[in-house]
Amino acid sequence: MTDRLYINAVGADGNPLFLHVRDGRILALGAEAPAVDGARVTDLRGHLVLPGFVDGHIHLDKSFVGDRWRPHRPAASLRERLAIEKEELAAAPPIEGRANALIAQAAAFGTVAMRCHVDVDATTGLANLHAVMAAREKWRGTVDIELVAFPQAGVMSCPGTPAWLEAAVREGAEVVGGIDPSTLDDDSDGQLDCVFGIADRLGAKIDIHLHEPGEQGVEQLARIAERTRALGLAGRVAVSHAYALGDVGPQSVDDVARKLADAGVAIMTNAPGDRAFPPVLALLAAGVRVFTGNDNIQDSWWPYGNGDMLQRAMLIGYRSGFYTDADLLTALDLASHAGAAVLGLEGYGLRTGNEATFVAVPAPNGAAAVAAAPAQRFLFRGGEPVGEAVKVFGNVRPGAA
């Protein structure tokens, strides 16, 4: 039995915090550290302690992290963008190595779980999925990776894709994806029949990319909510991006938000730099679960990103006009607990009985951490410091606190 006390930390609310860890799990936490005979004591010296971050939307098979820098190539249409992507990826190193490099980078920033969308369609088969699954296996126990079979090229407009999506779920993808049922596939009913049919038959979750604009996109959200409700899939369906919610007025948002909340459909937003995006606070007020992720990172779609979810929380707050501490903490929640809930992570967070995995950040509270997104992070997994944290906090003193 090994006892460890982490003292002189602060929680997200800025109040003093200690953690009593036994055999890698949190035995107790609170404001005043108890005396524990024989415990190894680590002084965190005023650092903010947060649970590990959750990236609710990432594309490990597309990124060039780990490869050379590739200047962005403009495209006039979605199909042209897809063609450029295929050309560039064909000339890039194997997926597994690039995925491994991006996972390592994200983990160094404190990410402990992610939902990864992997291209699966009639043009790629399961090659990308198998490569990312191999990378996932290397990180098992350190970063929990949930896989989405993502039909980037379309479902109905790319013949043969439905069978590949089903095959991907049977081989280990936990989520079946979709994309723009009307504007890309020109067959909303057909795509949703396919995606919801696979989920219903195989017990998979659903996560649909939806870039469709304005009222058209809002109508699509209503269709997705209705199918979710009819099949009893509450809590198992998410819509990524949902740009339409940033295009329409408050009344339209309120109307569809009620439908989404009643059906248990979550919304993922990464607050993209060049597009309207969902009003986070309005959705949360209506009872809709909202979470965030990095989305594309240094790939053929855009050159930005580094895998840092605290920085993503800052971007959510920046673009949403979050200034108060309460709103900044909301952005932090989107990058942590909200994403963990959508992914269904068990034992997540700084709670008694959970694994003592956390991030120490040089900030006085969670709001300040979101506002500044300090790059320095110290990681602790299973109650022990790892990486740079060993050098900075590895010296412990035995005895009572």
Side-chain angles (χ1 to χ4, degrees), residues 115-163:
R115 171 176 281 185
C116 172
H117 296 252
V118 184
D119 284 10
V120 173
D121 52 50
T123 67
T124 59
L126 300 182
N128 290 26
L129 180 70
H130 290 156
V132 174
M133 289 177 80
R136 173 172 72 169
E137 196 59 34
K138 292 181 180 179
W139 288 90
R140 190 173 298 279
T142 301
V143 180
D144 189 339
I145 303 175
E146 184 179 65
L147 298 178
V148 184
F150 173 48
Q152 175 73 84
V155 179
M156 312 311 292
S157 58
C158 186
T161 292

Side-chain angles (χ1 to χ4, degrees), residues 64 67-68 70 84-94 98:
F64 297 127
D67 187 17
R68 65 176 177 83
R70 294 171 184 266
I84 289 173
E85 179 184 53
K86 283 195 175 295
E87 179 184 330
E88 293 191 328
L89 289 176
R98 290 183 285 108

Side-chain angles (χ1 to χ4, degrees), residues 219-240:
E219 291 170 5
Q220 198 72 261
L221 288 168
R223 290 191 198 89
I224 291 168
E226 175 54 30
R227 286 175 180 258
T228 301
R229 187 196 59 76
L231 289 174
L233 294 176
R236 298 182 62 79
V237 177
V239 176
S240 289

Side-chain angles (χ1 to χ4, degrees), residues 104-261:
Q105 190 163 295
F109 281 118
T111 291
V112 298
M114 55 179 63
R115 171 176 281 185
C116 172
H117 296 252
V118 184
D119 284 10
V120 173
D121 52 50
T123 67
T124 59
L126 300 182
N128 290 26
L129 180 70
H130 290 156
V132 174
M133 289 177 80
R136 173 172 72 169
E137 196 59 34
K138 292 181 180 179
W139 288 90
R140 190 173 298 279
T142 301
V143 180
D144 189 339
I145 303 175
E146 184 179 65
L147 298 178
V148 184
F150 173 48
Q152 175 73 84
V155 179
M156 312 311 292
S157 58
C158 186
T161 292
W164 285 110
L165 292 177
E166 183 158 339
V169 173
R170 292 187 183 280
E171 291 210 17
E174 296 89 347
V175 188
V176 59
I179 179 170
D180 297 336
S182 294
T183 56
L184 181 60
D185 264 358
D186 196 26
D187 185 357
S188 178
D189 287 340
Q191 182 179 135
L192 295 181
D193 283 347
C194 170
V195 171
F196 277 86
I198 292 171
D200 189 38
R201 289 194 304 277
L202 302 183
K205 301 177 189 177
I206 293 172
D207 195 326
I208 298 174
H209 280 61
L210 188 65
H211 313 95
E212 297 179 13
E215 291 297 341
Q216 179 183 21
V218 169
E219 291 170 5
Q220 198 72 261
L221 288 168
R223 290 191 198 89
I224 291 168
E226 175 54 30
R227 286 175 180 258
T228 301
R229 187 196 59 76
L231 289 174
L233 294 176
R236 298 182 62 79
V237 177
V239 176
S240 289
H241 305 308
Y243 294 154
L245 291 170
D247 294 335
V248 298
Q251 188 59 57
S252 291
V253 171
D254 289 347
D255 290 345
V256 76
R258 285 196 298 273
K259 296 174 182 177
L260 294 169

Side-chain angles (χ1 to χ4, degrees), residues 260-281:
L260 294 169
D262 289 345
V265 176
I267 296 293
M268 192 295 303
T269 182
N270 66 319
D274 64 345
R275 189 69 172 80
F277 66 99
V280 172
L281 296 182

Side-chain angles (χ1 to χ4, degrees), residues 58-74:
I58 195 169
H59 293 267
L60 294 172
D61 58 333
K62 298 177 181 290
S63 176
F64 297 127
V65 169
D67 187 17
R68 65 176 177 83
W69 174 260
R70 294 171 184 266
H72 183 72
R73 294 166 57 184

